[in-house]
Amino acid sequence: MTKLGVNIDHVATIRQARRTFEPDPVTAASLAILGGADIITVHLREDRRHIQDRDVRLLRETVFTKLNLEMSLAREIVDIAREIKPEKVTFVPEKRQEITTEGGLDVVSQKKILGDIVKRFRDDGILVSFFIDPEEDQISASKDVGAHYIELHTGNYAHANDDISKGKMIEKLQRGLNTAQKLGLQVNAGHGLTYQNVGLFVESLKVEELHIGHSIVSRAVFVGIQKAVSEMKELIFRHDLTRKP
Ligand code: PXP
């Protein structure tokens, strides 16, 4: 079954709004795991707007499922990641002005630097994923530089507001998935997925992992994070069973 990675950055966003000690994303991670999260994801941004270094260190000690660290190519963050040793790192583009990650990583124009960094992580035994748009050149460049996984950017699917555009985006993501699988890449997906739009996605595409953050943390404000995660797991499970062959 498709695994669920829960991104808990926005628990830290609430804490950082007051620069206090609560709510603690480390506690959120433990409860998310009790709710069925297969993976805990955090993004250690260069500007430290939500997740802090201390969070990543404590999560490494307490997350007994899998830890996925989203990150830019910044030297300082690469050094922290190699010291912490999460099970997986996911490279994302990062801009200070953006509210959240906007587009996919441009692998094509950064092949040399990405190749060097990927080699270091591979030598450390850490899995490497690239968050990319479902474009053929980005997918084959990801393979060329040694990524184990790609994470397909689902933002355009999530933001499509009619069935025809949604269908087109699903087809595009499906083509990306096929290309990646032919090259031997493992495929994840995420960004902008919600309780409302995850069903159609899961019915249409078989990916390894879905990475979902904002929608789960938003529901958690009302029902608690353990319940919010188990409701998302249940949705994925139900729609997995109805996937078209
Ligand atoms: N995947 C990646 C690579 C991301 O950068 C994010 C956002 O931090 C997500 C998934 C989760 O997106 P959302 O918060 O919209 O569910």
Side-chain angles (χ1 to χ4, degrees):
M1 201 183 89
T2 299
K3 295 192 175 73
L4 174 61
V6 177
N7 182 317
I8 53 169
D9 290 349
H10 295 307
V11 175
T13 300
I14 300 174
R15 178 191 61 192
Q16 295 311 109
R18 290 292 173 91
R19 305 237 185 299
T20 175
F21 59 90
E22 63 184 358
D24 193 331
V26 179
T27 310
S30 297
L31 292 171
I33 291 168
L34 288 182
D38 300 292
I39 302 140
I40 295 295
T41 297
V42 288
H43 184 172
L44 185 66
R45 280 183 168 265
E46 289 165 54
D47 64 10
R48 308 297 200 274
R49 68 172 70 162
H50 39 53
I51 293 294
Q52 306 296 306
D53 299 43
R54 160 269 184 208
D55 302 330
V56 185
R57 288 179 208 290
L58 287 176
L59 287 167
R60 175 61 300 174
E61 286 180 31
T62 54
V63 170
F64 56 85
T65 54
K66 295 209 159 44
L67 184 63
N68 171 38
L69 184 66
E70 286 178 12
M71 56 188 287
S72 70
L73 303 177
R75 177 72 193 268
E76 180 212 1
I77 306 289
V78 168
D79 288 347
I80 294 172
R82 293 186 68 203
E83 187 201 323
I84 300 269
K85 297 197 192 328
E87 275 75 23
K88 190 192 291 139
V89 289
T90 300
F91 287 100
V92 301
E94 194 176 305
K95 293 191 218 115
R96 276 175 200 245
Q97 321 82 288
E98 68 193 356
I99 293 176
T100 180
T101 313
E102 283 165 356
L105 188 69
D106 186 356
V107 184
V108 174
S109 71
Q110 303 182 92
K111 274 176 104 170
K112 171 79 182 83
I113 179 173
L114 279 166
D116 293 346
I117 293 180
V118 168
K119 184 177 179 320
R120 275 181 258 155
F121 280 99
R122 288 188 77 111
D123 290 348
D124 291 344
I126 297 170
L127 294 168
V128 176
S129 180
F130 290 163
F131 178 60
I132 57 170
D133 292 314
E135 303 294 344
E136 218 170 303
D137 56 347
Q138 299 293 350
I139 297 168
S140 47
S142 302
K143 174 68 184 176
D144 293 345
V145 301
H148 301 91
Y149 285 81
I150 55 163
E151 180 177 332
L152 291 172
H153 190 328
T154 52
N156 287 338
Y157 161 71
H159 299 131
N161 41 27
D162 60 76
D163 290 349
I164 294 177
S165 343
K166 273 194 200 112
K168 282 192 181 143
M169 286 318 304
I170 288 283
E171 279 170 26
K172 188 162 188 187
L173 288 159
Q174 181 69 64
R175 282 197 296 277
L177 174 69
N178 295 343
T179 306
Q181 284 179 336
K182 274 192 207 127
L183 292 170
L185 287 162
Q186 308 214 62
V187 183
N188 301 331
H191 211 281
L193 295 175
T194 64
Y195 294 83
Q196 288 72 37
N197 64 27
V198 77
L200 174 65
F201 184 90
V202 173
E203 279 171 25
S204 313
L205 275 88
K206 169 88 183 98
V207 295
E208 299 273 328
E209 301 164 2
L210 285 179
H211 290 273
I212 309 179
H214 188 266
S215 192
I216 292 177
V217 173
S218 301
R219 183 170 292 213
V221 170
F222 300 111
V223 305
I225 195 158
Q226 188 174 335
K227 187 157 192 286
V229 172
S230 68
E231 287 177 0
M232 184 59 85
K233 277 283 278 198
E234 166 64 22
L235 256 182
I236 293 171
F237 178 68
R238 228 171 338 112
H239 287 276
D240 235 315
L241 297 179
T242 58
R243 184 176 311 108
K244 293 143 199 110

